Amino acid sequence: MFRLLVIGIFLFAGTIGYSQSSGQFLFLDQRPPVTVNGTMLTSPWAGGLNSPILNEIDLNGDGIKDLFTFDRVNDRVSTFINDGIAGQVSYHYDPSYISRFPIMSKWVRCVDFDCDGDMDLFVYNNKAIAVYRNDYSVSTGLVFTPVTNHLTAWFGTFYKDITGSDLNVPAFMDIDNDGDIDVLIFANSNNTIEYYRNYFADSSATSSCDGFNMFYEPYCWGQFQLDGLSNFANLNVVCRGNLIDDDSSLKTTNRHSGSILIGFDQGCDGDYDLLNGDILGNNLLFLENGGTSSSALITAQDTFFPSNTISVNLSNLPSPAYLDVNNDGKKDLIVTPASNAGEDYFNVLYYENMTDNCTNQFSYTTNRMLVGDMIDVGTSSNVAFSDIDNDGLLDIIVGDDKYFDKNPSLAFSRVSYYRNTGTLTHPAFTLITDDWLGLSSLQQTGLSPSFGDIDADGDQDLLLGNNTGDLIFYRNTAAIGSPSNYVFIQAPFQNISGGNNAVPQLIDVDRDGKIDLLLGNRNGQIRYYRNTSTIASSPIFTLITSAFGGVNVSQVGAGAGLSIPLLYDNNGSYEMLVGSESGYIHQYGNIDGNLAGSFTLIDSMYQQIFEPRSVSIARADIDGDNKQDLLTGNRSGGLRLYTQSVFSSIAMHEHLSGEIKVLPNPVSDLLTIQLLQLNTQGKRQIEICDLMGRSVFQSTFEGNSTDINVSSLANAVYFIRIIIANELFVKKMIKQ
């Protein structure tokens, strides 16, 4: 019975936070269905993808390679479970594994370096390469153990880091076929490949492959040089290290940094061939190794790979991956943009392998694999709720920064309209248009929608902010009770300039019965414009302060704060949530009667929600439970929905009773549980579960206290459940 209760509570939980002021948990809710062009999306609330690096890894230990993506645009990890349907791309979003991964930046590759069948991590680490070993077990699940923060090599007289860069991504593979992992990487600011040979298996008494003994080989691997102006190779170049031996013009070829390598054995002839994506071209370059495993020689190239089908033409910096995504045993080709300024919508190219892992004949299939299964509006998603069709159900309106265009002057913002086609208690959303009101014709970037009754006629008007700081006003001219009819009125609205990246909110700030205006902006502060008009239908917004409440969500050293204000009434008192560039949501109180003062920061990590980066927020009750839910957007252009679960007596014990203490919290190793003012006798049942309701620890104890060693648990949020005399108590625990 106890286990069934756990499953019921956590059926839709993926990520959780906690707020003392609200007294409620917010759960990542993936239940509301979303339909686009007649097709129901499989992972609508996954949060979008812009510049994802795709890696295969078994997340749940079922023997099937799942998928995790690392989005370079915001260092965002997303995890997808492979349903394993033969011949089909069949992934579904499961965020419960995200917290298992270490903090990463710029790039990551999954490679099994220790030959145990589990994919380990090679991670960029400030111009060096860090390595994490995958120590998955049935008892602990997915766990990554640091091996080294700096992968080093012997350079003949000294050891030195194998130097990488954020744009030069190495290939990790067994070049010499001796059983351990070697490294190929373009030399920084050079066009030749450095070869770092691993002698660990050769030097090991047991021929073990689970370590590194790297030596820098002082010659250019493959004897070629990448062109300095395009993704093209100059072949038969005799060179030592980074030096060209002859006096040819190759010495003066422009150098650059920005190449992404992978390797596979085309033809199964025992040596590795290469694929290279490059910052100097939208093509993918195939380099054929006509040499041997011990003496590589690039003898041929295909500059429009794969040339037998629609060739790769992807802006910017194409990043290839070689993995089986359709469960047919054949490695497919996936290509994504690695540049932050690259394609943000048609950005996951899938080439199916039509033959085998030797001949590798790839056929173009789609340019929206995975990302086509989720809500994604290009770069950045600026969210709002409003009942557009006046049917009593809240719809979702999403602005964006832009959709990518190869001509940057044509990369404009659009606004998408997702109509709520569900019910009051079971929302469902259908995309009506991705260019609502034809707003792309305004040729703006960074459109951020806000709704409020500006002209005091009883309906919701539309005010849009943009990246230049201007406001755009559309009046709702529909009759009361009719679907909205928005008519353009003015831009810039009242000549208000809110600073770059203006994000408006319309709300009666001073509670005088007239709607006022808050404006977030790039500097991380909030501007407050009071409605000083005496005519309700003709508001006049007058700047009162550019630093409302002393709020500033900029981080030290960050180039932008990107404040997104959301003032709301919580049981008669104003509170405010503020989204930020960092991806964290700040919560403020002490607002009523203190509009000219400094607000109190309640929480700088509201509900522990982290939506890297540029988190936008909207708040409303969309499922009819009289509790406020939260919608977030982010720089990757997707959405995530957080709703409140009904905990009834469980929630009461968690928040009100004070009968159980969990110390310390957060905890790193030894956890103490104390029962206060509980006189019942007998054994107490205790269980620790992760956010998906899976049990990670079970035991019993007697008395009023017990200690538990939690050092082996992954850093994450957990729930502790204790049954005493048929009564259930719940406590949250943070392991860090």
Side-chain angles (χ1 to χ4, degrees):
M1 182 65 183
F2 180 54
R3 189 62 184 153
L4 292 176
L5 176 61
V6 169
I7 294 173
I9 291 174
F10 289 94
L11 186 60
F12 62 94
T15 300
I16 190 168
Y18 171 64
S19 168
Q20 288 286 357
S21 76
S22 65
Q24 296 289 341
F25 290 101
L26 283 176
F27 293 85
L28 181 59
D29 193 344
Q30 301 181 72
R31 297 172 302 170
V34 177
T35 301
V36 175
N37 296 325
T39 300
M40 188 175 295
L41 304 183
T42 57
S43 300
W45 309 103
L49 297 171
N50 269 18
S51 301
I53 296 175
L54 272 62
N55 287 279
E56 58 181 0
I57 186 171
D58 186 358
L59 296 170
N60 57 4
D62 65 354
I64 301 174
K65 287 291 192 299
D66 307 302
L67 198 66
F68 97 87
T69 66
F70 179 76
D71 200 337
R72 285 174 54 101
V73 76
N74 50 15
D75 294 342
R76 181 190 188 97
V77 172
S78 299
T79 50
F80 299 84
I81 294 298
N82 187 349
D83 295 325
I85 303 175
Q88 293 186 26
V89 179
S90 55
Y91 297 100
H92 70 270
Y93 180 59
D94 186 341
S96 62
Y97 301 94
I98 294 174
S99 63
R100 303 291 177 130
F101 286 84
I103 295 174
M104 298 178 288
S105 176
K106 306 307 179 184
W107 56 258
V108 56
R109 289 292 198 209
C110 275
V111 182
D112 180 14
F113 84 85
D114 57 357
C115 308
D116 65 352
D118 295 326
M119 303 299 277
D120 310 298
L121 303 181
F122 289 77
V123 180
Y124 175 75
N125 180 31
N126 192 24
K127 298 183 180 180
I129 299 172
V131 182
Y132 293 84
R133 186 179 61 246
N134 183 347
D135 287 331
Y136 178 92
S137 70
V138 175
S139 60
T140 64
L142 190 66
V143 174
F144 291 105
T145 303
V147 175
T148 178
N149 286 326
H150 296 266
L151 190 60
T152 61
W154 178 249
F155 280 76
T157 57
F158 57 89
Y159 280 99
K160 190 177 76 169
D161 288 350
I162 299 176
T163 305
S165 80
D166 60 339
L167 290 178
N168 277 355
V169 182
F172 301 93
M173 49 201 179
D174 183 8
I175 297 294
D176 54 0
N177 294 320
D178 66 348
D180 51 26
I181 294 297
D182 310 299
V183 179
L184 295 182
I185 184 173
F186 274 102
N188 281 335
S189 299
N190 207 319
N191 299 0
T192 58
I193 288 184
E194 295 178 336
Y195 173 29
Y196 295 91
R197 184 177 177 185
N198 191 355
Y199 283 88
F200 189 86
D202 306 77
S203 58
S204 172
T206 59
S207 297
S208 173
C209 62
D210 60 347
F212 301 99
N213 187 15
M214 312 297 291
F215 279 68
Y216 170 67
E217 299 291 337
Y219 62 88
C220 303
W221 188 90
Q223 301 297 300
F224 77 97
Q225 185 189 41
L226 203 64
D227 187 74
L229 301 176
S230 62
N231 192 16
F232 172 84
N234 300 302
L235 306 182
N236 299 311
V237 175
V238 180
C239 52
R240 294 172 292 106
N242 298 333
L243 302 176
I244 306 298
D245 281 352
D246 61 26
D247 294 324
S248 72
S249 61
L250 294 176
K251 284 185 176 181
T252 59
T253 300
N254 293 333
R255 298 179 176 185
H256 71 278
S257 180
S259 299
I260 298 181
L261 287 170
I262 65 168
F264 56 89
D265 185 1
Q266 180 75 354
C268 293
D269 56 358
D271 56 43
Y272 274 96
D273 310 283
L274 294 182
L275 281 178
N276 183 63
D278 200 81
I279 200 168
L280 293 181
N282 295 341
N283 64 307
L284 202 59
L285 174 65
F286 173 71
L287 299 165
E288 183 177 351
N289 187 356
T292 66
S293 61
S294 60
S295 180
L297 178 65
I298 301 302
T299 56
Q301 62 183 308
D302 182 352
T303 58
F304 296 101
F305 188 84
S307 55
N308 64 295
T309 184
I310 299 175
S311 301
V312 172
N313 182 12
L314 185 63
S315 304
N316 290 331
L317 187 55
S319 173
Y322 182 60
L323 40 88
D324 178 15
V325 297
N326 65 344
N327 303 297
D328 65 355
K330 297 175 291 187
K331 298 282 190 178
D332 307 298
L333 174 65
I334 309 297
V335 189
T336 56
S339 169
N340 290 351
E343 173 63 64
D344 57 8
Y345 189 74
F346 300 108
N347 59 344
V348 182
L349 280 58
Y350 165 37
Y351 290 81
E352 183 180 357
N353 190 339
M354 305 304 294
T355 54
D356 52 53
N357 295 332
C358 286
T359 55
N360 292 299
Q361 289 294 306
F362 300 112
S363 178
Y364 173 80
T365 302
T366 179
N367 56 12
R368 299 208 73 224
M369 192 202 91
L370 201 67
V371 74
D373 293 322
M374 62 185 74
I375 297 174
D376 192 297
V377 296
T379 296
S380 295
S381 43
N382 308 314
V383 297
F385 286 120
S386 186
D387 185 3
I388 300 299
D389 55 357
N390 203 25
D391 65 351
L393 304 176
L394 287 172
D395 309 303
I396 294 175
I397 303 296
V398 189
D400 61 19
D401 188 53
K402 63 178 178 58
Y403 282 92
F404 174 83
D405 194 285
K406 291 183 178 180
N407 182 350
S409 64
L410 299 178
F412 302 132
S413 176
R414 289 185 283 184
V415 175
S416 297
Y417 166 29
Y418 289 85
R419 184 178 177 227
N420 190 339
T421 51
T423 67
L424 283 172
T425 56
H426 293 86
F429 299 94
T430 300
L431 178 64
I432 302 302
T433 175
D434 64 0
D435 191 13
W436 185 55
L437 303 180
L439 290 170
S440 64
S441 64
L442 298 177
Q443 299 186 4
Q444 303 290 311
T445 57
L447 290 178
S448 184
S450 177
F451 295 89
D453 189 3
I454 293 178
D455 55 3
D457 65 350
D459 55 28
Q460 297 289 295
D461 304 300
L462 170 66
L463 193 65
L464 296 148
N466 66 16
N467 279 349
T468 61
D470 296 327
L471 299 180
I472 304 163
F473 175 38
Y474 279 75
R475 176 175 288 130
N476 187 353
T477 63
I480 299 298
S482 299
S484 301
N485 182 48
Y486 289 99
V487 176
F488 173 77
I489 300 297
Q490 187 181 27
F493 178 59
Q494 295 192 8
N495 291 316
I496 293 172
S497 180
N500 290 345
N501 305 100
V503 179
Q505 183 192 7
L506 294 164
I507 187 170
D508 182 5
V509 175
D510 57 0
R511 299 186 186 269
D512 67 349
K514 296 180 295 185
I515 200 163
D516 305 303
L517 173 65
L518 297 178
L519 273 183
N521 55 46
R522 184 176 180 81
N523 70 12
Q525 297 177 306
I526 297 172
R527 298 188 179 195
Y528 167 36
Y529 294 80
R530 184 171 181 264
N531 186 349
T532 57
S533 174
T534 59
I535 303 174
S537 61
S538 301
I540 299 173
F541 294 110
T542 303
L543 179 63
I544 302 301
T545 177
S546 296
F548 184 52
V551 170
N552 191 334
V553 295
S554 294
Q555 290 186 322
V556 176
L562 297 181
S563 54
I564 294 101
L566 190 98
L567 185 67
Y568 61 94
D569 187 287
N570 182 20
N571 295 321
S573 297
Y574 270 147
E575 293 179 358
M576 185 164 63
L577 300 180
V578 184
S580 69
E581 159 71 8
S582 70
Y584 290 108
I585 301 170
H586 297 62
Q587 183 185 27
Y588 293 87
N590 188 27
I591 298 173
D592 292 284
N594 189 34
L595 297 183
S598 294
F599 304 153
T600 300
L601 178 63
I602 299 173
D603 195 344
S604 60
M605 300 171 60
Y606 175 73
Q607 296 272 342
Q608 300 175 22
I609 292 171
F610 182 48
E611 299 289 354
R613 300 191 177 263
S614 304
V615 58
S616 65
I617 46 179
R619 187 175 183 269
D621 175 16
I622 67 163
D623 52 8
D625 62 356
N626 296 316
K627 297 177 181 178
Q628 296 295 302
D629 310 304
L630 197 70
L631 181 69
T632 65
N634 62 76
R635 186 170 293 167
S636 291
L639 306 186
R640 303 231 291 178
L641 179 64
Y642 296 84
T643 62
Q644 294 188 20
S645 176
V646 179
F647 275 81
S648 62
S649 62
I650 299 174
M652 292 292 290
H653 284 301
E654 162 63 61
H655 302 303
L656 301 179
S657 71
E659 293 155 318
I660 296 177
K661 281 191 175 181
V662 174
L663 302 169
N665 199 3
V667 61
S668 58
D669 43 34
L670 192 64
L671 181 75
T672 297
I673 297 175
Q674 297 178 350
L675 310 183
L676 307 177
Q677 301 175 356
L678 291 175
N679 298 319
T680 56
Q681 302 298 314
K683 289 185 177 181
R684 289 84 157 88
Q685 298 177 14
I686 185 170
E687 183 178 34
I688 301 177
C689 288
D690 65 14
L691 296 179
M692 292 300 291
R694 293 170 302 199
S695 179
V696 298
F697 176 87
Q698 294 184 22
S699 184
T700 61
F701 70 98
E702 297 183 352
N704 289 326
S705 69
T706 186
D707 294 331
I708 302 172
N709 190 335
V710 296
S711 60
S712 64
L713 296 183
N715 293 348
V717 178
Y718 297 85
F719 277 109
I720 300 172
R721 286 182 286 273
I722 303 172
I723 295 180
I724 303 173
N726 296 320
E727 191 170 16
L728 175 63
F729 298 81
V730 179
K731 283 289 183 180
K732 184 189 70 170
M733 179 192 79
I734 301 173
K735 167 66 168 56
Q736 68 178 20

